[in-house]
Amino acid sequence: MPSLRQYTATLLLPSAFFGYALYANSALLTNAASPAAQASEARNLSLSYVMDGEATRDLDTLYKNELPHRAASVGLFGNARYALLGAGRKGVVVGDDGWFFTAEEFKTVSPSDIDDAVQRIVEVKRELEARGIQLVLAPLPAKSDLYAEDVPSLVRSAAMADAYRDFSTALQKQGIIVADTRATMLTAKPFGDVFLKSDTHWSPAGANAAAEAVQSSLQLSGIDLAPQDLTAQWQTPVTLWGDLTKFVTSPDYAPTVGLAEESVPIYRTRVSEAASGADIFGDDSSVPVMLVGTSYSANENWSFADFLRQSLQADVVNVAKEGLGPGVPMMDLLAGSTLDETDPTVVVWEFPVRYLGTKTLWQRDGETKTEGGNV
């Protein structure tokens, strides 16, 4: 015969569930009916609004964004999934010893993807050479390549290593100067992590190794830059949550499953005022080296431009952009006036191989695709 405790649980659990459901949906209705919500986005409640699926999408967005305790639910569920299954949401591959990898790195890059990219890069090289500028391509290896030992065996693959090799070889066959960042990063790896464990990006140690690869490629190519006096210093490290942590759990709940923020040391260099190129008639705006690329270069936390400045002993202007991949920032640079205003001798193009074959490599999402030859 059921006990009083069992009867109580039988009644209490459904009551709690339906009580929370009533509370949650009441809160949703209150938020949706508020003057601020109505003023922010008015909807035409027509039949087509329902039939076309807009109503369903809006309701889904409402539940995702406004549901009470959503953040707590996401964090707790993510913790449970990570602790019990060693997994995260779609978009991340959870490896060994706290290493996270973006799912973008687990693909095969086709020969046509490489050929298409090399063709566009050759066109860029020609346009820069017409301006008297040398191009140095710095392909960046994938994190899943350099830390393959920490990738789950079921998804471990040589695809990214192959893509790096084939891409670099194809570029060199076209007479393009290529910095072998993979070799220098592998050399630096035993002395410190060259990628952040919970982030898609490299560590300052990896950025420093890549800068040394660029310097070596210039030296081997016989490109001489007039040395400039620099000042350099390490600054207080910053702490940040790796961008892949959000695919596992929320930062508020991450520490309870052993996850922690990344500590990133900051390195800063600058050309001394005496060597900055100023003359008696005013400032000379020319800078010998221009850096273009992705968030690996644009985000100052990684200090890549500073390490590049240090390795080359020359000033560097950084025009890299975040969130656009490697192709779009270069297209923007060629279409704008910055090259004419800055008059660099060398353009260093940082180019992660995991972007090869992506649909938005050469144009922003939603833009009309440009044909080859129109750089």
Side-chain angles (χ1 to χ4, degrees):
M1 184 176 181
S3 65
L4 179 60
R5 180 179 179 181
Q6 290 173 318
Y7 273 125
T8 303
T10 301
L11 295 172
L12 184 59
L13 290 177
S15 298
F17 173 79
F18 286 111
Y20 176 76
L22 179 62
Y23 160 73
N25 284 279
S26 297
L28 286 174
L29 290 173
T30 301
N31 291 338
S34 66
Q38 293 180 1
S40 65
E41 187 173 3
R43 288 296 184 187
N44 178 19
L45 298 180
S46 63
L47 180 61
S48 63
Y49 174 60
V50 177
M51 296 297 292
D52 292 343
E54 274 194 87
T56 302
R57 288 192 293 271
D58 287 349
L59 185 60
D60 179 64
T61 300
L62 180 64
Y63 268 90
K64 286 181 178 178
N65 296 335
E66 303 293 342
L67 190 66
H69 310 127
R70 177 182 178 273
S73 300
V74 170
L76 291 173
F77 183 78
N79 279 10
R81 179 176 49 205
Y82 178 68
L84 297 175
L85 304 176
R89 293 192 291 110
K90 182 179 180 181
V92 68
V93 173
V94 176
D96 299 332
D97 194 29
W99 283 90
F100 299 159
F101 304 89
T102 173
E104 295 174 352
E105 295 184 346
F106 297 87
K107 65 179 182 181
T108 299
V109 178
S110 70
S112 63
D113 291 334
I114 292 176
D115 291 343
D116 290 345
V118 171
Q119 179 184 349
R120 296 298 295 267
I121 293 168
V122 168
E123 294 168 0
V124 170
K125 174 179 179 287
R126 290 171 180 163
E127 180 160 344
L128 290 175
E129 284 180 341
R131 299 169 180 249
I133 302 169
Q134 290 280 354
L135 173 65
V136 177
L137 210 294
L140 302 189
K143 180 180 177 181
S144 62
D145 169 19
L146 296 195
Y147 286 91
E149 67 274 15
D150 292 304
V151 173
S153 58
L154 289 176
V155 294
R156 193 177 301 164
S157 165
M160 284 290 103
D162 293 342
Y164 181 94
R165 180 199 62 220
D166 296 343
F167 185 46
S168 298
T169 300
L171 291 167
Q172 290 170 332
K173 287 181 178 179
Q174 294 294 330
I176 296 170
I177 301 171
V178 178
D180 190 357
T181 61
R182 185 176 187 273
T184 56
M185 291 175 75
L186 283 172
T187 299
K189 181 181 170 183
F191 305 99
D193 293 339
V194 293
F195 274 92
L196 300 176
K197 295 182 73 171
S198 63
D199 200 279
T200 54
H201 298 94
W202 52 16
S203 67
N208 187 24
E212 292 175 356
V214 172
Q215 190 277 332
S216 296
S217 68
L218 285 175
Q219 187 175 25
L220 290 172
S221 300
I223 299 175
D224 294 323
L225 299 173
Q228 297 176 283
D229 293 330
L230 301 173
T231 60
Q233 64 176 347
W234 287 99
Q235 298 184 351
T236 303
V238 299
T239 56
L240 53 88
W241 284 105
D243 60 8
L244 293 172
T245 302
K246 66 183 179 182
F247 290 93
V248 176
T249 185
S250 63
D252 290 339
Y253 291 87
T256 62
V257 287
L259 302 180
E261 291 181 285
E262 301 277 3
S263 179
V264 182
I266 304 297
Y267 191 65
R268 290 290 177 262
T269 57
R270 58 190 295 267
V271 175
S272 61
E273 292 185 6
S276 63
D279 57 32
I280 59 175
F281 300 105
D283 292 334
D284 183 355
S285 60
S286 64
V287 177
V289 181
M290 180 172 287
L291 172 62
V292 60
T294 68
S295 54
Y296 286 80
S297 298
N299 191 324
E300 294 187 352
N301 285 335
W302 323 138
S303 304
F304 181 49
D306 296 277
F307 287 122
L308 197 59
R309 203 173 284 118
Q310 178 71 48
S311 294
L312 301 180
Q313 288 294 293
D315 202 5
V316 176
V317 60
N318 188 358
V319 296
K321 298 179 180 180
E322 296 192 67
L324 295 174
V328 173
M330 178 59 81
M331 297 299 102
D332 289 347
L333 177 65
L334 295 176
S337 60
T338 304
L339 282 172
D340 294 328
E341 295 167 356
T342 309
D343 192 26
T345 301
V346 173
V347 167
V348 176
W349 192 358
E350 164 259 306
F351 199 117
V353 297
R354 66 184 175 90
Y355 284 98
L356 291 169
T358 56
K359 294 180 179 179
T360 55
L361 178 55
W362 302 109
Q363 66 280 322
R364 289 171 173 82
D365 192 17
E367 286 183 341
T368 303
K369 184 177 180 180
T370 56
E371 298 297 330
N374 296 326
V375 300

